[in-house]
Amino acid sequence: QHGDVPIRDYLILIAVADRGDSGRFYSTNELVAFAHQYRLPHNDVWIFASQQASEQVFKAYDSLRETGTTTTVINSLNQIVAENDGMSSKVASLYPHDIFQGNILEGIVIRYVSNNDEHTIKEMEQLRITSDDLLAIVPPSTKIVVPLLGSSA
């Protein structure tokens, strides 16, 4: 069995290939912007733009890679963001992993983005704001309704 049994039906956008541009894949920022434009769910995205925050991420990865659950990994990454305010940020998913995908985490994708690229970091901060706005308008429902056979619910 791969991963956890999903708690809810879900679809998560994890990659976009632009067939008109030599088949290149969208950057993280492009993927999140595309997801926002079409209201598609994407995974949580964290950005750590300092050496200290990056070192904390890899330390957390080393300690959690074998035993970490969704809850422990997300809490750890959120704590690193809190400790590195201004140099770290989180773009929240419209489908929180623990509510939809369960508590088993299949993996973490880590991408290098130069911290000299202020445009990328500012763009990610704007995407964070957009994601927060979307979550305020349409918060994910944590209520799971399972109709019983023969009922009209």
Side-chain angles (χ1 to χ4, degrees):
Q1 178 178 344
H2 175 74
D4 207 346
V5 175
I7 297 170
R8 309 196 50 181
D9 290 337
Y10 69 93
L11 165 84
I12 298 289
L13 180 66
I14 58 171
V16 174
D18 185 345
R19 292 177 21 176
D21 188 10
S22 303
R24 75 172 184 87
F25 283 92
Y26 279 20
S27 69
T28 302
N29 289 19
E30 290 172 315
L31 179 116
V32 172
F34 181 86
H36 287 168
Q37 179 180 356
Y38 295 102
R39 304 300 189 258
L40 298 170
H42 57 81
N43 281 314
D44 289 329
V45 175
W46 290 265
I47 193 163
F48 302 100
S50 71
Q51 182 174 342
Q52 176 183 326
S54 297
E55 288 170 358
Q56 288 176 284
V57 168
F58 283 102
K59 183 177 177 183
Y61 174 78
D62 287 341
S63 70
L64 296 170
R65 70 178 171 209
E66 297 294 330
T67 60
T69 63
T70 297
T71 303
T72 58
V73 170
I74 288 174
N75 288 346
S76 180
L77 294 174
N78 288 344
Q79 181 63 37
I80 296 168
V81 167
E83 292 171 4
N84 293 277
D85 189 33
M87 294 305 289
S88 299
S89 185
K90 176 183 178 181
V91 180
S93 171
L94 300 178
Y95 284 26
H97 198 291
D98 56 341
I99 294 173
F100 288 82
Q101 300 173 59
N103 207 29
I104 293 177
L105 193 61
E106 289 88 8
I108 299 172
V109 175
I110 298 176
R111 294 183 183 179
Y112 171 78
V113 178
S114 172
N115 65 356
N116 295 326
D117 187 357
E118 281 190 43
H119 173 73
T120 298
I121 294 168
K122 287 179 181 176
E123 184 180 32
M124 187 59 77
E125 180 59 18
Q126 185 56 50
L127 291 168
R128 181 197 63 77
I129 292 166
T130 301
S131 188
D132 290 348
D133 290 347
L134 288 171
L135 283 165
I137 294 167
V138 185
S141 173
T142 58
K143 182 179 177 184
I144 300 173
V145 177
V146 180
L148 299 174
L149 289 176
S151 72
S152 60

